Every structure is written in C-alpha cells, then in structure tokens.
Amino acid sequence: MFDKILIANRGEIALRVIRACREMGIKSVAVHSTADADAMHVRMADEAVCIGPPAGTDSYLRIPNIIAACEVTGAQAIHPGYGFLSENAAFVQAVQDHGITFIGPTAEDIRTMGDKITAKDTMKKLGVPCVPGSDGGVPDYETAQKVCEEIGYPVIIKATAGGGGRGMKLAESAADLETAFRTARSEGKSNFGNDEVYIEKYLGKPRHIEVQVFGDGKGNAVHLGERDCSLQRRHQKVFEEAPGPSISQELRDQIGKTCADAVANINYAGAGTIEFLYEDGEFFFIEMNTRLQVEHPVTESIYGVDLVREQIRVAAGLPMSFTQDDLEINGHSIEVRINAERLPNFAPCPGKVTQFHAPGGLGVRMDSALYEGYSIPPYYDSLIGKLIVHGRNRDEALARLHRALGELIIDGVETTLPLFDALLAEPDIQSGDYTIHWLEKWLETNLQ
C-alpha cells in the first residue's frame, strides 16, 4: 500500500480523497494555486504545495508542476479527482514515466474512451447497445446530408472531443442541418482543438442513465447499478438519484452485466461510468467517463461501499474488496449540486461566505469545502457543495432532502438552493416522471 498520495485537484473532491486516505492510514499531499492558499483541502492535508497562480491553466493543469510536487514530497501515487487532468491521457503517461502510480485507468483506456467515435466503436464490438448514427466521423456537409437521410430527423451533431454540451447541436430538419453542422465543427475546433464531428439520431424523450462499473485491471469487473441523471441544464447535471426510478431490477441486471463484461474484457482498472440515453425500455450508449463521477456518493450510499478507497486499493495492486454477489441495493439516495450562482440566469457568484451551516441527522451527507469566512474564487467551476441524502425508499429520501435543504445555511453569496426547494414541490419530481428535457422546459416558465 502507498505511504503518501498527492491529490491533483481542489475543493470538495480533494477533501473527499483526503478523507479516504486518512481512514486508510495514508498521508495526503494537497496542491493548490495561490488563490487557494486558504482552501479547506490545503488545511486538511498532511502537506501542501503551491503549484502556480490562480488560473487553472497555470496551476491545476500544469503537468510538470504537479509531477514536481510529487517528487518534492515523495508521494508515490496521484489521485486526479474529477475534472482538470482526470481524463488526460498525456498526464497519465507522464505520471507513469516518472515512476509514479496513477490512481485510475491506463492512458490507453482513457485515450480510447476520450474520443467519442473510438469509444462508440469499441462499445459496439463489446456488445454495448449504441444510438443509431454515423459510422465514425463525418468529414463534410454532403456526407452529413446522406447520413441524416438514412437515420432520419431529428439528429444531433457532436464534436468527437466535446464535453459539457460544447460542440453539440440539434438539427430538427434538413433546413437546420447546415448551420448545426458548421457550428458544431467550429465549437469543437475552438474548445477542444478538434473539428471532427459525428451524427446520432436524436431521441425525443429519453432519460439519462449511467451505470457505475469498477474493474481490477486483471479481467475482473463489477457493476454497482445505475444512476438517473436526467435533470440537466445545458447538459450539466443538477440532480442525481440511485437507483433510477424508471429501471426495473431485470433491466438493471441486464445492462449492468453488459457493462461489467465490457470493461472486464478490456482489463479496465478502477472506477468508470458508462452513460446511456434510455427510452422505451432500450439503452443507447453515449459515452464513458474514465474517472470518478461528481455524483458517486449516491452509489456509495445505496451499496455501502467507498469507491475512492477501492480506487486506491486497485491502484496498489490489491483485489477489489467485494464481488458482484456482495452488492445489494439498500434504499434510495439523491444528490443535488449546489453552485455559487445567481438565479434565474445561473450567473457565477463568487464572494465571501459570511455564514455556513451544514445539515445533519440520519441519512444526510454534505460534501463541501466551504467554511465561514472563506472567499470563493472566481477562477474555477462554481460547484461549492453536494447535498446527499439516503432513505429506505424514494419517498423517504425526498422527505429527507426537503428537511436537509431547510437546515443548510450559506450566506454571503447567492446559490442555487432555491431551485431545489421549487423542484421538490413539482408532482413530476415527486413521482420520478421526468426526462432530460424536463428541466430546461420547466425553467422557461417557472424560474424568472
């Protein structure tokens, strides 16, 4: 087992990894920008190293600085968290070239799944169902027209290197295609340095279902059920729950086994998430995230496992501490993402937190790096906390979420907390009857 692990991240996810390290008796190293000198993850770690000025491109994304911090402190492994360099194959390769262990999958697996066309082709070969669409990239507008005629409208054009909704455009008819095609290519080029796009059939009322998988890198893998992440704004998740309210145990076992078999086949190591659109009883693969997800706590809650601990164990060459037969669902869990944003426009709202009180009680977990007097910097993602609740069933989880939201106090900055109070009053949320388009439509008329 490792003696010391460096966490190449910040905020609540850095704290999450530090906590796992502490429970395992492993020393932790925090890295930080000058803007994060007083951050909670810096205070909680055993050691801390400044790696650059405020901008992420000059600090948290600077590979040489992070590796140097490892060498200075003697850290034997790096945990990337999520975001930043967590799915950067070049970073993984550089870490390994310096004799440091990367806590996650191989550079090859990250590279394969990071390119959406390659990932889709790989999953097809492994028996994972995919959305009808183009075979690979679409080089020009004329080819795009032919593909769309074959699969039928509406279609969605996606940048192969895209993410977070960037490089993704809808064409409802042939009249929309040229503008959507050229815009998607342009956004792919400007945001990711790659203008290649592919085309998929656009599903009318799908849910966003993702399956949590975990492999030991030696041909063994399990699935830990699914999460429903359909409540999204501009392709960004805001509310996640497990198990999915629309998924039967039979379907869960079926798609879970398909996903576990797929990652076992490629000797995948560590945590991963295979994401699907789900409609009319059918699953359609959209992408795989080769890292820990923001919403991993809901899976931890219903299965009673520590995914970060398992990541560290597998990276150290140890076997997983559970088998598929050991994994049984216990109750229901919901997570809401709390951002420092001003409603109704969701504009970032950095500033000083004058008061902070986290909710507590049975079945309540608050993952946050906030504290009274902390100044939220303007340089990074606006996510400032995740409130996770667990109940014996979905109704109890919803009631517990309502109670916990009433206890949570964040003063000094505006947040998205009022959004969740409003959502919990909606009959569709109470019944679990929503799709990936529900929230956008609701916001148009309810949050002005």
Side-chain angles (χ1 to χ4, degrees), residues 413-448:
V413 296
E414 294 189 53
T415 73
T416 52
L417 280 173
L419 168 65
F420 302 111
D421 288 322
L423 288 178
L424 289 181
E426 289 291 328
D428 287 346
I429 302 303
Q430 294 169 8
S431 66
D433 184 18
Y434 53 83
T435 71
I436 62 170
H437 307 303
W438 189 95
L439 183 58
E440 291 278 10
K441 292 177 180 177
W442 183 88
L443 288 171
E444 289 175 2
T445 56
N446 291 273
L447 201 63
Q448 302 297 329

Side-chain angles (χ1 to χ4, degrees), residues 29 49 76 81 83 99 114 116 123 158 214 232 241-242 256 279 312 337 340 394 419:
V29 179
V49 179
Q76 302 150 309
K116 290 181 170 56
M123 286 299 175
K158 298 181 180 181
F214 203 100
Q232 303 178 11
E241 59 181 310
E279 188 174 73
I312 294 170
R337 301 189 189 192
R394 189 172 188 271
L419 168 65

Side-chain angles (χ1 to χ4, degrees), residues 51 80 92 170 226 260 265 351 354 358 400 408:
I51 55 171
V92 178
L170 172 67
E226 82 290 343
N265 189 278
T354 56
R400 191 155 284 162
L408 177 57

Side-chain angles (χ1 to χ4, degrees), residues 44-198:
M44 292 291 290
D46 295 294
E47 299 177 58
V49 179
C50 182
I51 55 171
T57 51
D58 297 326
S59 52
Y60 296 104
L61 292 170
R62 292 285 294 172
I63 295 174
N65 297 17
I66 292 171
I67 291 175
C70 257
E71 294 176 337
V72 167
T73 59
Q76 302 150 309
I78 292 178
H79 193 297
Y82 55 73
F84 288 129
L85 294 168
S86 61
E87 293 181 286
N88 186 308
F91 174 57
V92 178
Q93 193 62 59
V95 168
Q96 293 171 340
D97 289 346
H98 282 79
I100 304 165
T101 299
F102 179 78
I103 300 175
T106 64
E108 180 182 0
D109 284 345
I110 291 175
R111 199 174 291 113
T112 296
M113 293 304 165
D115 181 280
K116 290 181 170 56
I117 292 176
T118 306
K120 187 175 179 180
D121 289 342
T122 301
M123 286 299 175
K124 275 184 179 179
K125 293 173 183 175
L126 294 171
V128 177
C130 296
V131 182
S134 60
D135 292 324
V138 179
D140 50 52
Y141 175 60
E142 290 69 26
T143 305
Q145 288 178 300
K146 293 177 183 177
V147 170
C148 294
E149 288 171 4
E150 292 175 3
I151 65 176
Y153 290 93
V155 300
I156 191 159
I157 299 99
K158 298 181 180 181
T160 63
R166 294 184 294 271
M168 184 184 299
K169 296 298 170 185
L170 172 67
E172 296 189 23
S173 67
D176 305 326
L177 180 60
E178 184 171 6
T179 298
F181 180 78
R182 302 199 189 287
T183 304
R185 290 191 68 172
S186 175
E187 288 187 5
K189 182 69 173 178
S190 61
N191 285 290
F192 309 104
N194 183 348
D195 67 356
E196 186 177 42
V197 298
Y198 63 105

